[in-house]
Amino acid sequence: MNWEVDENNRFYVSTYYGNDIFKNDDFKMGWGNQTFTFRWNHLFSKKLFSNFTLVQSYFNYELGVPEGSANSFEWLAVMKDYGVKGDFVYYLNENNTIRFGASTLYHRFNPGKAQGLGEESFFDVYEVQHNNAMESGIYISNEQRIGARLSLKYGLRLTHFQNVGSAVIYNYDQEYNPVDSTTYASREFFSPYAGLEPRIGAVYLLNESSSLKASYSRTRQYVHLAQNSTAGTPLDVWFPSSPNVKPQIADQVAVGYFRNFFDNRLEGSVEAYYKFTQNAIDFKDHADLLLNKEFEGELRFGEAQAYGLEFLFRYNFNKFSGWVGYTLSRTEKKIEGINNGNVYLAGHDKPHDVSVVLNYDPSKRISIGATWVYQTGSAVTFPTGKFEFGNSYVPIFSDRNGYRMPDYHRMDVSVTLKAKDKPGRKFYHEWNLSVYNAYARKNPWVINFVQDPDNPNQTYAEMTYLFGIIPAITFNFHF
């Protein structure tokens, strides 16, 4: 909702709630988001205006076995953020636009709480300690025009991060074995990190229809996301920097060529990029992730690199519009203690990524759209054999991320009917009919390797996919 108080003040409020659940007789998994944003836009003068923002977000994810058996349990993890920021824009002159501001964000991590479900369950309540942290930053940048052909964007950001007690931090030896621990009191600040994030970008106009672009940036990441590719579920684990976990620092450079054709009805571009990351994070082989108080001892650290080419063609011909994008990329890691110290593919490495979007407007009120996406399957670690130990079979795994999931692709189509346009109308609406995965592609969500109950010597791969064709009707209204 937007409220225009006067010509110098406007208020904006937005909120969202969503939840996704996967469940069958043997397993359940879910995740959801809640967000709230309040923003005050204020004009101090014709040259200076500002945005002051309050933000709250809530992300939860869960895992478990439904009620009804001795193994029934529920594991729940939550991440909450509370933040405030102020952003300013100052129009110095026609050739310089200065932006500056500051922000503070409070993170609260609840890594996991597990408890049994039902009277038959033998699980007790078990909870890993919560983690709290403060992340702040200040920045200033300038957009500068130099002559008729050259434009620059450059700036500097200073970030600061620190953990907040109460907390018990385990200390590890060189083999990542816990040796002792340090206790921090409630609201005690510890393990501060800080650093500068410079960035610069340049655009040079070759002529009226083409240009060259180049950029460099450094970023610091204090909140980390990691995934254990050997797990039977795509479980993401979020955790903050700490005395044992340094921030990830990434330097990225990019260059590109852009050109317009046919009176700007067709736009084409090609960009090349390279990104190098220090303190890259991954899990050791066979990591114990869930409800592990010594979780940080499962982490390993090294370096990563990503590079690729991105192609984009955007078109707008009368009633037809849309775009076609293709990315050729590679993402690799090299971390001591993983994959025998050799380079391996990151779990999110997807060499080929294609998107095709087509929009057709037969009239002012009707719009027809279609989208097709294709991605190379994610890199994963699969078992390649097994051996018998006692009365059990122990799997032998491939190199880290030595295999790939099947390729992912699908098509979505939609038709939108807009309300009649009437002068002075303050309320208008539209209907949308859409079909997700129109040709019913069975894209794998999880692949598990199951021992044949009738023949213990045999193991087969079992694919789980989530969605076939999903039709939807949406009603949008604006006032």
Side-chain angles (χ1 to χ4, degrees):
M1 293 188 296
N2 307 332
W3 178 29
E4 186 175 347
V5 181
D6 52 44
E7 62 180 9
N8 294 325
N9 295 279
R10 295 185 180 186
F11 294 100
Y12 302 85
V13 178
S14 62
T15 186
Y16 167 83
Y17 172 82
N19 203 50
D20 296 286
I21 299 174
F22 169 82
K23 182 178 180 181
N24 58 26
D25 293 337
D26 303 316
F27 176 77
K28 69 175 182 178
M29 185 174 184
W31 52 91
N33 291 277
Q34 300 174 31
T35 66
F36 174 82
T37 303
F38 172 80
R39 180 164 62 93
W40 171 31
N41 175 257
H42 176 67
L43 275 68
F44 289 95
S45 67
K46 292 182 179 180
K47 287 192 172 185
L48 177 64
F49 72 90
S50 62
N51 281 294
F52 299 96
T53 309
L54 296 175
V55 179
Q56 177 185 348
S57 67
Y58 175 98
F59 174 63
N60 68 278
Y61 45 112
E62 60 179 309
L63 186 72
V65 175
E67 187 174 343
S69 70
N71 295 324
S72 298
F73 78 98
E74 180 181 63
W75 172 82
L76 178 66
V78 176
M79 183 170 67
K80 301 178 182 179
D81 286 340
Y82 306 91
V84 58
K85 61 179 182 176
D87 300 292
F88 300 84
V89 179
Y90 179 65
Y91 295 101
L92 180 63
N93 52 50
E94 61 180 9
N95 292 323
N96 293 273
T97 301
I98 300 175
R99 303 176 187 272
F100 58 96
S103 64
T104 297
L105 195 63
Y106 179 77
H107 303 286
R108 183 167 178 81
F109 302 86
N110 300 349
K113 178 181 180 181
Q115 58 184 1
L117 297 177
E119 297 179 355
E120 300 178 359
S121 176
F122 60 80
F123 286 102
D124 295 326
V125 177
Y126 184 86
E127 186 170 10
V128 180
Q129 76 166 2
H130 298 180
N131 298 313
N132 307 306
M134 292 285 294
E135 183 176 353
S136 303
I138 57 174
Y139 73 92
I140 185 169
S141 67
N142 186 29
E143 299 177 15
Q144 182 179 8
R145 293 178 56 188
I146 303 176
R149 293 181 179 270
L150 180 62
S151 298
L152 297 177
K153 291 183 179 180
Y154 50 90
L156 188 64
R157 186 168 184 259
L158 172 64
T159 61
H160 183 268
F161 182 91
Q162 55 188 340
N163 298 100
V164 183
S166 58
V168 176
I169 302 298
Y170 291 92
N171 304 311
Y172 301 89
D173 60 20
Q174 293 183 349
E175 302 299 323
Y176 296 93
N177 298 311
V179 292
D180 56 23
S181 62
T182 304
T183 300
Y184 297 92
S186 177
R187 298 183 179 87
E188 181 180 358
F189 294 94
F190 63 97
S191 185
Y193 293 101
L196 294 174
E197 298 181 346
R199 61 196 63 191
I200 183 171
V203 179
Y204 183 76
L205 300 178
L206 298 174
N207 51 51
E208 293 182 354
S209 60
S210 61
S211 63
L212 293 174
K213 295 183 181 180
S215 65
Y216 162 78
S217 66
R218 164 168 283 200
T219 56
R220 297 174 184 269
Q221 183 175 328
Y222 299 105
V223 177
H224 313 287
L225 171 66
Q227 184 181 69
N228 186 4
S229 61
T230 63
T233 61
L235 177 65
D236 295 334
V237 178
W238 296 86
F239 54 96
S241 296
S242 72
N244 298 309
V245 181
K246 296 180 180 180
Q248 298 183 79
I249 303 175
D251 293 282
Q252 179 167 314
V253 293
V255 293
Y257 174 70
F258 299 78
R259 183 177 175 85
N260 294 343
F261 304 88
F262 308 116
D263 295 328
N264 297 329
R265 292 184 178 182
L266 177 63
E267 303 174 15
S269 66
V270 56
E271 285 190 271
Y273 69 90
Y274 176 80
K275 179 179 180 180
F276 179 79
T277 302
Q278 307 173 49
N279 306 325
I281 299 173
D282 211 336
F283 294 114
K284 73 174 187 179
D285 295 334
H286 316 297
D288 182 13
L289 305 181
L290 299 183
L291 302 176
N292 185 353
K293 292 182 179 180
E294 300 165 2
F295 166 81
E296 292 180 341
E298 307 291 291
L299 302 174
R300 299 295 183 266
F301 309 93
E303 60 187 38
Q305 63 176 355
Y307 49 93
L309 291 171
E310 298 180 344
F311 302 86
L312 178 66
F313 294 93
R314 191 184 305 274
Y315 56 91
N316 188 353
F317 294 102
N318 298 325
K319 296 182 179 181
F320 289 92
S321 62
W323 52 273
V324 178
Y326 169 66
T327 300
L328 174 65
S329 64
R330 176 53 55 95
T331 306
E332 301 170 329
K333 292 184 176 182
K334 189 177 189 303
I335 297 178
E336 195 66 32
I338 298 178
N339 205 45
N340 297 318
N342 297 319
V343 174
Y344 64 95
L345 298 177
H348 55 275
D349 176 77
K350 298 177 180 179
H352 303 285
D353 188 309
V354 182
S355 297
V356 181
V357 177
L358 173 63
N359 298 308
Y360 173 60
D361 299 326
S363 69
K364 293 183 178 180
R365 295 185 57 199
I366 299 177
S367 179
I368 301 172
T371 301
W372 183 76
V373 295
Y374 169 89
Q375 295 176 344
T376 305
S378 301
V380 292
T381 306
F382 280 158
T384 58
K386 61 183 177 182
F387 64 90
E388 186 175 0
F389 182 77
N391 295 322
S392 301
Y393 288 92
V394 180
I396 301 172
F397 288 93
S398 69
D399 292 341
R400 176 65 67 95
N401 295 335
Y403 282 81
R404 287 195 180 275
M405 298 283 280
D407 293 346
Y408 178 98
H409 57 87
R410 75 169 200 275
M411 176 178 285
D412 306 331
V413 295
S414 65
V415 178
T416 301
L417 175 63
K418 301 177 182 179
K420 292 182 179 180
D421 187 16
K422 296 181 179 180
R425 188 173 188 175
K426 295 183 178 180
F427 175 92
Y428 63 96
H429 66 274
E430 61 185 32
W431 288 93
N432 176 269
L433 172 64
S434 63
V435 179
Y436 176 92
N437 195 18
Y439 55 80
R441 163 71 175 177
K442 295 180 180 179
N443 289 299
W445 182 55
V446 175
I447 293 181
N448 289 314
F449 290 82
V450 182
Q451 184 172 299
D452 191 332
D454 298 325
N455 186 357
N457 293 320
Q458 297 294 323
T459 300
Y460 62 88
E462 181 180 76
M463 181 185 80
T464 301
Y465 70 95
L466 294 184
F467 304 121
I469 297 176
I470 300 182
I473 297 177
T474 305
F475 177 70
N476 296 317
F477 62 93
H478 310 257
F479 61 92

